[in-house]
Amino acid sequence: MIRFKDIQGQDNAVRYLERAVFLKRISNSYLFSGPEGVGRAMTAKAFLNALFGESVYGDVSKGHPDVFWITPEKNRKIKIEEIRTAKERLNLKPYGSQYNALVIEDAHMMTIEASNALLKVLEDLPGESIIILISAKKELLLPTVISRCSDIRFYPLPYDKAKKIVLEKTGADEETAEFLVLFSEGSPGRAIKILEEGIIERKNNIHTLLKEISEEDNSICLNWDNEDRDLLMEDIELLIMFFRDVAVGVETEDRFIIDKGLKGLEIFSYYAGYGIERINGILEKLINLKRALAGNVNPKLVAQVLPANLK
């Protein structure tokens, strides 16, 4: 069973929720906002476990009858039907606890219809009900939804703490763990996830692609291998990290390079010969592509123009 003591690096959030439980000052609705992979869902489980106490149903993450979780699949919207089902559950009397609880992960993935339906639920929530919204993009939530929630902020973990978690959970070597923590910006959950999804192999493939692009006179004839929006975004982030490391290697000390294995690569030396102004120009183009991809630009179009922006 997950307890508050199991949550690392989120002392302010844990302290606030522990005090709320101790004083029995529980809000009907919370927003756990902050980056992915820093313990928001774990804290929600610890909070509900603290509220519900010991029961024959055990941990709230294992089918507790008084807890309803909505976790959308990757890139799938949360539809109004799911909110209506959740409303029906909240209107029932708790089966074995003091509260009914609804947890919505990636709450920003709700459709407009679902968001409006949730707003109505929040406006007329039974006293024994608790709603916890979890979101890394709270700016995409309706302001009226946010205003009805107690906003609990979660933050990236300090480097040493995040690295310790990654080492313990993955068995990665020191250099890999350091790269993962820095690339994930202090999010051990994301670091572990991208490692499982093959980020190291993709990073190495990118170095190979960069070599091919550097040797191709007309890079406009090349296409990027990845056209999946999320994976393409990570590829661009890997490229930004690569060229940032090249710039650092040109301008400052090697110890500030994030990916320590780069300095010995031929492709690193090739781009280092570009000079800092040209490297910064490539970085600016990559940042603009990342912004475009985060908007509504077709990822296939971004993949088509990406190689030409690396020359």
Side-chain angles (χ1 to χ4, degrees), residues 200-216 222-225 238-239 242 259 262 265-268 270-271 307 310:
I200 303 301
E201 182 181 355
R202 282 170 45 218
K203 175 170 70 76
N204 294 335
N205 289 341
I206 282 175
H207 296 161
T208 302
L209 283 168
L210 283 171
K211 190 171 188 305
E212 292 176 2
I213 290 169
S214 70
E215 295 171 348
E216 175 62 51
L222 297 171
N223 277 338
W224 200 254
D225 287 350
L238 284 168
L239 287 165
F242 171 84
D259 189 356
L262 281 181
L265 297 180
E266 180 183 342
I267 192 63
F268 185 95
Y270 172 83
Y271 279 106
L310 303 174

Side-chain angles (χ1 to χ4, degrees), residues 147-254:
S147 68
R148 284 167 171 77
C149 299
S150 298
D151 190 0
I152 312 297
R153 286 287 300 159
F154 288 74
Y155 299 93
L157 272 64
Y159 168 78
D160 289 341
K161 190 163 289 187
K163 182 179 175 182
K164 182 174 182 287
I165 294 172
V166 172
L167 286 170
E168 289 174 351
K169 298 289 187 181
T170 68
D173 58 66
E174 291 274 338
E175 186 175 300
T176 300
E178 181 176 342
F179 164 77
L180 289 169
V181 169
L182 292 172
F183 183 73
S184 65
E185 299 179 325
S187 169
R190 185 186 176 209
I192 293 166
K193 180 183 177 183
I194 61 177
L195 178 63
E196 293 171 348
E197 292 175 346
I199 191 75
I200 303 301
E201 182 181 355
R202 282 170 45 218
K203 175 170 70 76
N204 294 335
N205 289 341
I206 282 175
H207 296 161
T208 302
L209 283 168
L210 283 171
K211 190 171 188 305
E212 292 176 2
I213 290 169
S214 70
E215 295 171 348
E216 175 62 51
D217 291 334
N218 188 8
S219 58
I220 199 168
C221 296
L222 297 171
N223 277 338
W224 200 254
D225 287 350
N226 230 330
E227 294 183 351
D228 175 85
R229 183 180 295 275
D230 290 340
L231 293 178
L232 183 57
M233 180 69 80
E234 284 188 356
D235 284 350
I236 293 175
E237 289 173 351
L238 284 168
L239 287 165
I240 290 172
M241 177 176 281
F242 171 84
F243 284 102
R244 178 259 179 207
D245 277 347
V246 173
V248 168
V250 170
E251 290 285 293
T252 62
E253 301 177 38
D254 293 354

Side-chain angles (χ1 to χ4, degrees), residues 16 18 27 54 85 87 92 136 185 213 233 281 302:
Y16 178 90
E18 279 185 317
S27 298
E54 296 288 348
T85 300
K87 179 181 178 181
L92 297 174
E185 299 179 325
I213 290 169
M233 180 69 80
V302 174

Side-chain angles (χ1 to χ4, degrees), residues 4 10 15 18 25 90 92-93 98 110 121 126 140 161 165 171 195 224 236 244 247 258 263 270 283 296 308:
F4 280 130
Q10 304 297 341
R15 195 179 301 117
E18 279 185 317
R25 294 178 181 171
L90 290 174
L92 297 174
K93 280 195 171 184
Q98 184 180 349
M110 286 186 291
V121 174
L140 299 181
K161 190 163 289 187
I165 294 172
L195 178 63
W224 200 254
I236 293 175
R244 178 259 179 207
I258 292 173
K263 201 65 188 285
Y270 172 83
L283 279 168
N296 295 320

